[in-house]
Amino acid sequence: MVLSGMSTLDQMEDNISFMKEFKHLNEKELEAVHQVADIFHQKHMIPCTACRYCVAGCPKHISIPDLFSCMNAKMVFHDWNADYYYNMVHTARNGKASECVKCGKCEKVCPQHLKIREILEDVAKEFEKPQSAAE
Ligand code: SF4
Ligand code: SF4
């Protein structure tokens, strides 16, 4: 799956030019793709595409896709790196997940129809737990 934003004819023609020599994945490659997809599905990752349509209208200036990215990284790698980015980068000047006032503006514009308010509750539980209980 390729997701490519295009807003002019030139950009579209440029994108199309990459597909002139298009070759399908062979069986072995497809099998590898399915195996990787299964692994990602097992991790229950948040299917946010980081389009950022949700960010501009948030009254709490929550950097929603970045917080989701931290959550996904935590689910996969289980290390402190995601905590660092959550606390020191993505919420340093923006709202934390727990500051969501549940106005729902973000969900109205999310093309993936994500339940952003619910997911932010999970994010807050993961990254804003008391220090002593943190990993
Ligand atoms: S529901 Fe929460 S995250 Fe979404 S726009 Fe409102 S305050 Fe921001
Ligand atoms: S609008 Fe939805 S898919 Fe796009 S960045 Fe926000 S949460 Fe992710």
Side-chain angles (χ1 to χ4, degrees):
M1 165 71 72
V2 177
L3 278 178
S4 175
M6 294 172 264
S7 47
T8 67
L9 186 59
D10 280 352
Q11 288 170 353
M12 191 168 80
E13 284 172 351
D14 189 35
N15 279 348
I16 289 170
S17 73
F18 283 95
M19 302 305 280
K20 278 191 181 138
E21 312 273 327
F22 180 73
K23 279 199 294 186
H24 289 275
L25 296 179
N26 63 34
E27 257 181 50
K28 202 171 166 191
E29 290 165 334
L30 263 180
E31 177 59 27
V33 168
H34 287 138
Q35 284 178 8
V36 171
D38 284 346
I39 291 169
F40 278 115
H41 284 140
Q42 285 164 17
K43 301 279 180 195
H44 302 294
M45 294 175 75
I46 305 161
C48 166
T49 58
C51 65
R52 306 193 77 84
Y53 294 153
C54 55
V55 174
C58 176
K60 290 295 182 180
H61 307 291
I62 298 171
S63 192
I64 298 162
D66 295 315
L67 304 196
F68 288 176
S69 171
C70 287
M71 188 73 166
N72 282 342
K74 192 73 184 269
M75 294 301 109
V76 174
F77 301 115
H78 305 287
D79 65 6
W80 53 268
N81 213 24
D83 293 87
Y84 173 83
Y85 275 95
Y86 183 88
N87 289 300
M88 307 305 287
V89 179
H90 300 307
T91 61
R93 292 187 186 159
N94 295 78
K96 290 177 183 279
S98 60
E99 290 170 35
C100 170
V101 293
K102 308 211 184 303
C103 65
K105 282 186 185 170
C106 52
E107 292 182 14
K108 285 191 184 131
V109 296
C110 177
Q112 306 304 321
H113 308 294
L114 298 182
K115 293 182 175 175
I116 296 173
R117 290 171 285 190
E118 275 181 28
I119 302 171
L120 283 175
E121 285 179 15
D122 295 337
V123 173
K125 274 185 208 145
E126 180 61 42
F127 289 100
E128 299 178 38
K129 49 196 170 190
Q131 202 66 28
S132 56
E135 285 170 21

